[in-house]
Amino acid sequence: MRLRPSWLALAGLGVAALVSLQPATAQSMINGFWSPLGNQDSYHYLAGPDPGDFSGLPLTDAALKIAQQYDADEFEMPELMCRPFMATYAPRAISTMRIWETTDSQTQDQIKIETTMAFSAPHRTIWMPASNHPYPSASEPHTWQGYSTGKWVGNVLWVHTDHLKPGFLQRSQGLPLDDKTTMDERIFRYGDILVDIMMISDPQYLSRPFIYSKLYAYIPQGNMDPYPCSVHNQVPTPEGYVPMRLPFYTTNYNEQFAAKGIPLEAARGGEQTMFPEYQDYLKTLPPNPPYEQLRADQQKQLDEQSAIAQGKTP
Amino acid sequence: MKTIVFALVIVHAGLVAAQGRGGQAAAPQPPQNAQQAALIDLTGYWVSVVDEDWRFRMMTPPKGDYAQVPLNTAGRAIADQFNPELYGGARYQTSQIIDCRAYGAAGLMHMPMRLHITWDSPNALKIETDWGVQTRLIHFPPGKPTGDIERALRNGEIAGGRQPASTQGYSIAAWEQPFRFNQTIFQRGAVGRGGGLGQNRAGDAQPGGDLAVVTTDLAPGWLRRNGVPYSAKTRLIEHFMTFQDPTGKDWFTDTTEVIDPEYLNTPFIISSEFQREPDASKWAPHPCKEVK
């Protein structure tokens, strides 16, 4: 029996019908522009939380020590002015997000999902299984957005991200994340609400995963302005000056923090502060000293640091 | 001729396989009740993990602090009546004297607490809390355990007035299946048949799903411990979704949309995460206070 090429092609189609029944890849229900909802935790993500308010964060002692050396004036450093938000922070920011997908023109398989945010314009790529994109080697530089892979489980997009640059957990607080940080997300949509559950793990600076759910509302006619960041010397400082505080000093609480009434011990965070039983412990904590006293104590510490920096013994 | 038959047999085999795997699968029998139809397992003990909105949840915010709540003028006027003297005076923020109005359904799930979720009957899910000592009953319409709550709301199929107003109100629910593939509008569930060469996946069942709940018939209550109010006209829309963390631990999130035409300018939308606990060993009832 001889098969002519045309029949061979037809037979090939039949085989293709068998092998093409692969798991779903093409879903577009999260594509589009999304506006962040500000009903939850937004005070942490506008200008940044108050200095020293770490309540509810599963920090290690190492993270606290680093945060205590932080000075928010570092934002004025030219080297850091245009630093983009990393993948572990950008979705939590109060900023419009755009999501789009790329599909293979022949198979219609979803190759990648990309996101960008209006503020600081971080551009992230989530590689889907059909991309067969190679995992970065250990010697490749870590990046602000890291390396993300995704898969659909029903209507939920599961994303895993690693290969990140060292960054920060929350803005303007100096809480560190190291380059072994990973993030797992579950992204899904109800009606016109998008939910991004972020689980951030860092064996160095977090004693358990930090879990955060960010909510967005769909924007039918979305738009996004460009973000042309450029460096300007807004606050004149000596060349080479790096704002920081010497180790082992208490945090520089401000008046806004004091007004919120969070007990100083609770503000140090730690995973014990995340669970309901901590409410009973809160009752036992002493009231905070008046802000005037806090400020006087902090000024004394600053004077001591200044004396040390000038080579004088306090 | 033999070649034609050979080729057709192969093509036919492909189409039959396509239909068997998704195109013309026999429709499953409808489940008898909500418990049997459950798409996710919410039963068991759960603990809220509070690393968002900490100062609004773990302690009483300062009087007059309504940050993030789209409160209108009428709502502010009521919130400003909050009297710290009734809740511990100078220590009211951490006294943990918590008014029962803060444990009404619209604010309940955002409070730090443990939950015990069980089936009260085959068509009613029961949620009990240790902090506040509250009980919610989530009712599934008999014979209709699955559905699409957004569509039901748009079509006006869900309305209040079923029961007298109460702290937890009246909750009606449906298991929501994942959306189908290749539909021109969002439709849930797996029905229909494949087309083409079996590549149309409209009939494929997908894993997962969520629980959608609408609550009405609420007595007035508080969104926060410092007296931020919601009214009896409030309607609550919730979606419960289970997920696992990277270590395999079970979680669920409850996304809550509070719609109150009396005190809110726009819906108040928040979410709360709960982690599964192995048993009741940390269950610690803390009754709320009826503060006059």
Side-chain angles (χ1 to χ4, degrees):
Chain A
M1 181 176 72
R2 288 181 59 199
L3 291 177
R4 283 186 290 179
S6 57
W7 299 125
L8 282 172
L10 191 57
L13 279 175
V15 174
L18 283 170
V19 302
S20 64
L21 301 173
Q22 298 299 317
T25 53
Q27 305 207 11
S28 56
M29 57 188 288
I30 64 170
N31 280 357
F33 287 85
W34 296 91
S35 176
L37 292 173
N39 301 140
Q40 180 167 286
D41 226 26
S42 60
Y43 65 98
H44 273 178
Y45 296 98
L46 287 166
D50 296 322
D53 179 9
F54 308 133
S55 51
L57 302 179
L59 307 177
T60 62
D61 287 344
L64 261 184
K65 284 176 182 169
I66 290 177
Q68 284 171 348
Q69 297 172 46
Y70 177 78
D71 187 331
D73 284 350
E74 76 161 33
F75 275 99
E76 304 299 336
M77 292 174 63
E79 295 86 348
L80 300 179
M81 269 182 199
C82 291
R83 177 175 47 179
F85 287 167
M86 66 285 294
T88 49
Y89 184 83
R92 288 183 276 150
I94 306 295
S95 185
T96 301
M97 176 167 65
R98 182 163 78 93
I99 303 177
W100 71 101
E101 66 179 6
T102 302
T103 55
D104 184 293
S105 61
Q106 297 299 314
T107 66
Q108 302 304 322
D109 284 340
Q110 203 171 45
I111 300 297
K112 61 182 177 179
I113 297 172
E114 292 169 88
T115 69
T116 190
M117 314 288 298
F119 192 82
S120 94
H123 177 198
R124 185 173 171 213
T125 301
I126 301 166
W127 295 103
M128 303 302 285
S131 71
N132 297 311
H133 193 273
Y135 185 79
S137 72
S139 59
E140 282 190 51
H142 288 209
T143 62
W144 294 117
Q145 303 309 315
Y147 182 77
S148 296
T149 53
K151 64 178 179 181
W152 287 100
V153 178
N155 285 160
V156 183
L157 178 63
W158 290 35
V159 182
H160 176 80
T161 301
D162 54 22
H163 231 75
L164 287 154
K165 271 190 175 186
F168 51 80
L169 184 66
Q170 292 192 152
R171 195 179 174 209
S172 76
Q173 283 194 315
L175 291 175
L177 290 175
D178 78 3
D179 63 358
K180 292 185 177 60
T181 296
T182 60
M183 178 169 70
D184 290 84
E185 292 167 276
R186 308 287 181 260
I187 303 171
F188 44 91
R189 172 180 180 169
Y190 303 122
D192 284 341
I193 303 297
L194 186 75
V195 184
D196 181 359
I197 295 179
M198 310 165 71
M199 294 169 279
I200 301 170
S201 304
D202 177 354
Q204 176 76 5
Y205 296 126
L206 296 175
S207 60
R208 57 171 285 146
F210 169 72
I211 184 164
Y212 193 89
S213 54
K214 180 68 185 182
L215 307 178
Y216 289 88
Y218 182 64
I219 315 174
Q221 289 184 288
N223 191 9
M224 197 176 277
D225 293 331
Y227 187 83
C229 186
S230 57
V231 173
H232 296 278
N233 192 2
Q234 298 170 350
V235 180
T237 50
E239 190 175 344
Y241 173 68
V242 178
M244 65 163 291
R245 307 173 77 230
L246 294 176
F248 312 118
Y249 282 83
T250 56
T251 305
N252 187 21
Y253 302 109
N254 62 19
E255 197 165 3
Q256 289 71 31
F257 168 82
K260 294 184 175 79
I262 300 169
L264 294 183
E265 182 177 328
R268 290 174 59 83
E271 68 175 72
Q272 72 280 5
T273 64
M274 300 165 66
F275 293 97
E277 48 270 30
Y278 196 73
Q279 294 170 103
D280 283 325
Y281 184 67
L282 274 174
K283 287 188 288 192
T284 69
L285 295 178
N288 291 346
Y291 176 63
E292 291 70 25
Q293 184 183 330
L294 274 179
R295 192 171 59 175
D297 291 346
Q298 290 168 177
Q299 188 58 50
K300 186 180 172 189
Q301 289 190 2
L302 288 174
D303 292 343
E304 288 176 7
Q305 290 188 56
S306 178
I308 292 171
Q310 294 171 28
K312 302 173 186 171
T313 304
Chain B
M1 186 61 193
K2 287 180 180 176
T3 57
I4 296 173
V5 171
F6 175 72
L8 290 177
V9 164
I10 292 178
V11 170
H12 180 71
L15 293 175
V16 167
Q19 290 164 352
R21 292 172 68 174
Q24 283 187 336
Q29 287 295 107
Q32 296 295 310
N33 58 50
Q35 187 173 0
Q36 292 167 328
L39 297 175
I40 54 177
D41 181 15
L42 290 166
T43 61
Y45 287 94
W46 303 86
V47 61
S48 52
V49 179
V50 185
D51 46 17
E52 296 168 315
D53 269 355
W54 191 94
R55 72 183 183 91
F56 297 123
R57 300 169 69 185
M58 279 288 189
M59 51 187 283
T60 301
K63 178 183 176 179
D65 186 346
Y66 328 123
Q68 305 170 189
V69 183
L71 209 55
N72 63 21
T73 306
R76 290 182 186 203
I78 291 181
D80 286 340
Q81 295 171 16
F82 178 78
N83 181 3
E85 293 303 319
L86 300 176
Y87 303 93
R91 305 287 304 276
Y92 77 97
Q93 285 194 259
T94 55
S95 69
Q96 304 301 345
I97 301 171
I98 305 173
D99 197 304
C100 286
R101 287 174 285 188
Y103 288 99
L108 179 70
M109 302 298 279
H110 214 44
M111 295 290 277
M113 60 191 176
R114 285 183 166 78
L115 304 178
H116 185 211
I117 303 181
T118 54
W119 284 100
D120 188 60
S121 73
N123 281 318
L125 206 55
K126 182 164 71 176
I127 302 177
E128 297 169 282
T129 74
D130 64 351
W131 277 79
V133 190
Q134 299 292 312
T135 300
R136 293 182 71 186
L137 279 180
I138 311 294
H139 305 273
F140 293 79
K144 197 180 176 188
T146 59
D148 187 324
I149 285 288
E150 271 85 15
R151 176 169 295 181
L153 286 167
R154 280 198 303 272
N155 295 343
E157 297 167 11
I158 298 176
R162 293 167 182 270
Q163 303 283 330
S166 63
T167 303
Q168 301 307 326
Y170 187 85
S171 297
I172 192 163
W175 299 113
E176 290 189 326
Q177 296 167 309
F179 294 110
R180 294 180 210 159
F181 291 107
N182 296 335
Q183 298 297 306
T184 51
I185 58 172
F186 281 163
Q187 286 184 295
R188 295 181 184 277
V191 294
R193 54 175 296 176
L197 291 172
Q199 295 180 4
N200 185 325
R201 309 195 64 246
D204 283 8
Q206 293 194 78
D210 65 85
L211 172 67
V213 180
V214 174
T215 301
T216 54
D217 304 324
L218 285 160
W222 290 358
L223 293 174
R224 290 202 178 136
R225 303 174 184 211
N226 61 347
V228 175
Y230 63 85
S231 77
K233 294 178 183 171
T234 294
R235 186 175 70 185
L236 198 62
I237 304 171
E238 294 173 276
H239 288 86
F240 294 73
M241 169 74 89
T242 55
F243 61 96
Q244 289 189 320
D245 70 15
T247 64
K249 292 189 175 73
D250 288 330
W251 293 73
F252 80 80
T253 185
D254 175 18
T255 308
T256 305
E257 184 175 358
V258 183
I259 301 163
D260 180 3
E262 194 160 340
Y263 296 139
L264 297 180
N265 287 316
T266 61
F268 178 63
I269 306 174
I270 54 175
S271 61
S272 310
E273 280 70 49
F274 295 85
Q275 186 178 358
R276 186 184 287 283
E277 295 210 311
D279 52 41
S281 59
K282 294 184 178 177
W283 186 259
H286 286 67
C288 58
K289 306 286 192 301
E290 298 284 350
V291 180
K292 302 295 182 185

